Amino acid sequence: LWAKYPLNALETMTRMIQILVVFFCMAQSYATPQGFKRCAKLFCWAGIYCAVFIFAATPVSSWFSGKLGQSATGNNVNIIGLLLSLCIILCVYYAYYQKKRIYYLFSLIEFAVITLTSSRRSMLAAIGGIVLLIFIKDRSWKLLVRLLVILGLTAAVAYAVFNIEPLYNAIGVRFASMLEYAQTDSGDTSLLWRDQYKAYAKQFFIENPLLGIGTANFSPTLNSLIGRNTYAHNNYYELLASNGLLGFSLYYSFYVYLAVRLSKAVFIFQNNFAKAMLTILAVLIVSEYSIVIYRTVYIMAFICLLFLFVCAFDISASEEQTASLIQTETNDNSKMLKGNRI
């Protein structure tokens, strides 16, 4: 109602309502222990299919040109990279926790696509997610060995990225410019522009702190000022600018709910699947500092997956409690019968 560009707000709100309807339908089928396991496998295989499709649909001569997958899927490479980073976490879970070794191969295929998308944040998200998933599995002496192996593999990847020319042209040059920017605040025009977008988002929020300038109104408002029709490259700033403190609080209150429930399942009940779900949530929270995802259906689907796990976990706990009560009652009845016999 208060948006300067109401059509943008209406279009985005319509899409978000459609997402809610689809996810509600998913919950009817998959919000059970067995249903969730099927759904998680579907997500995992969807990522594998996506990676294979991108390679198959892109000429080999274009694999190392940067932005792999953009022409094949029509999506932003950062979205493709983040999507596959989350799928890698599922693959590593099946490989490392459930000993299904073939998923290591699938993880390598997905990681190769991420590398060739030239998305730095996605590459770092994938590596960070793998490290976190392995770290929270156990605290035995083997953990140190596994982390050292991961660090060694990471060093090998870094060496390849900076020393093999096709890989350097695809993504190494972007890491080099990022390092230069971190040291000199210059050299990477992409990061320079992103800092400016965040600065404008802060300005819009300060001017409209409670309700913001309107859902999905950051891009057209920015375009009217500097001629760039783009997003804030930061989910936190974009939500604050577009929806103010009210919308920001409503949106991230669900993240807080998921974080509390998943942490309880991990650290109190030691549920292994919860460790994968908590890792996905952690990767999303960190990644959203450099990407806008609140209206991206592919990434929001993973938020739905986390919620499905919470629902399935509640049902599983309730079933276990019921079974325990039935067993206790059966034992009590048996004792009474024995007593009557005596």
Side-chain angles (χ1 to χ4, degrees), residues 58-279:
T58 306
V60 176
S61 59
S62 300
W63 284 6
F64 296 93
S65 61
K67 298 189 180 301
L68 177 70
Q70 184 164 287
S71 60
T73 66
N75 288 295
N76 184 291
V77 291
N78 292 316
I79 295 296
I80 297 171
L82 180 57
L83 172 66
L84 292 178
S85 297
L86 302 178
C87 291
I88 279 180
I89 293 171
L90 289 175
C91 282
V92 172
Y93 166 78
Y94 288 120
Y96 185 63
Y97 282 66
Q98 296 192 0
K99 310 302 180 185
K100 298 177 180 179
R101 308 300 185 190
I102 187 64
Y103 284 92
Y104 282 127
L105 174 61
F106 298 149
S107 300
L108 288 174
I109 296 172
E110 292 172 339
F111 190 79
V113 174
I114 292 171
T115 301
L116 298 177
T117 61
S118 300
S119 177
R120 297 168 294 196
R121 73 199 72 180
S122 300
M123 194 172 180
L124 295 174
I127 294 172
I130 293 171
V131 171
L132 179 59
L133 185 60
I134 291 175
F135 179 77
I136 63 176
K137 185 178 187 293
D138 55 40
R139 298 293 186 275
S140 67
W141 64 270
K142 295 181 181 179
L143 175 63
L144 178 60
V145 175
R146 291 160 182 161
L147 291 179
L148 288 174
V149 170
I150 292 175
L151 289 175
L153 291 174
T154 303
V157 170
Y159 179 85
V161 163
F162 283 102
N163 292 276
I164 298 177
E165 186 174 354
L167 287 178
Y168 182 79
N169 293 334
I171 193 170
V173 66
R174 301 201 70 220
F175 273 109
S177 64
M178 182 179 72
L179 293 174
E180 181 184 352
Y181 182 80
Q183 295 172 348
T184 64
D185 287 333
S186 63
D188 193 316
T189 55
S190 175
L191 293 177
L192 283 169
W193 274 113
R194 289 173 189 182
D195 283 345
Q196 290 194 38
Y197 301 150
K198 294 171 189 175
Y200 276 105
K202 291 178 185 178
Q203 177 186 327
F204 298 158
F205 168 64
I206 291 171
E207 293 172 354
N208 305 272
L210 183 60
L211 298 176
I213 59 177
T215 300
N217 268 229
F218 176 84
S219 296
T221 303
L222 183 71
N223 188 45
S224 67
L225 293 174
I226 63 173
R228 282 181 170 261
N229 188 21
T230 186
Y231 51 95
H233 290 76
N234 184 302
N235 207 60
Y236 303 102
Y237 285 135
E238 173 123 354
L239 282 172
L240 284 170
S242 299
N243 300 96
L245 281 173
L246 181 60
F248 179 89
S249 301
L250 287 173
Y251 182 86
Y252 280 106
S253 63
F254 190 58
Y255 280 48
V256 173
Y257 168 77
L258 290 174
V260 171
R261 295 301 309 276
L262 293 174
S263 297
K264 183 179 179 180
V266 169
F267 298 109
I268 296 179
F269 294 96
Q270 296 296 312
N271 184 281
N272 281 336
F273 228 133
K275 295 175 181 178
M277 298 297 102
L278 186 61
T279 301

Side-chain angles (χ1 to χ4, degrees), residues 259-307:
V260 171
R261 295 301 309 276
L262 293 174
S263 297
K264 183 179 179 180
V266 169
F267 298 109
I268 296 179
F269 294 96
Q270 296 296 312
N271 184 281
N272 281 336
F273 228 133
K275 295 175 181 178
M277 298 297 102
L278 186 61
T279 301
I280 288 175
L281 181 61
V283 168
L284 282 173
I285 290 172
V286 174
S287 298
E288 287 178 21
Y289 189 76
S290 59
I291 193 171
V292 174
I293 65 114
Y294 76 94
R295 45 183 173 171
T296 304
V297 62
Y298 311 111
I299 308 302
M300 293 304 296
F302 275 90
I303 301 294
C304 178
L305 183 68
L306 302 183
F307 180 67

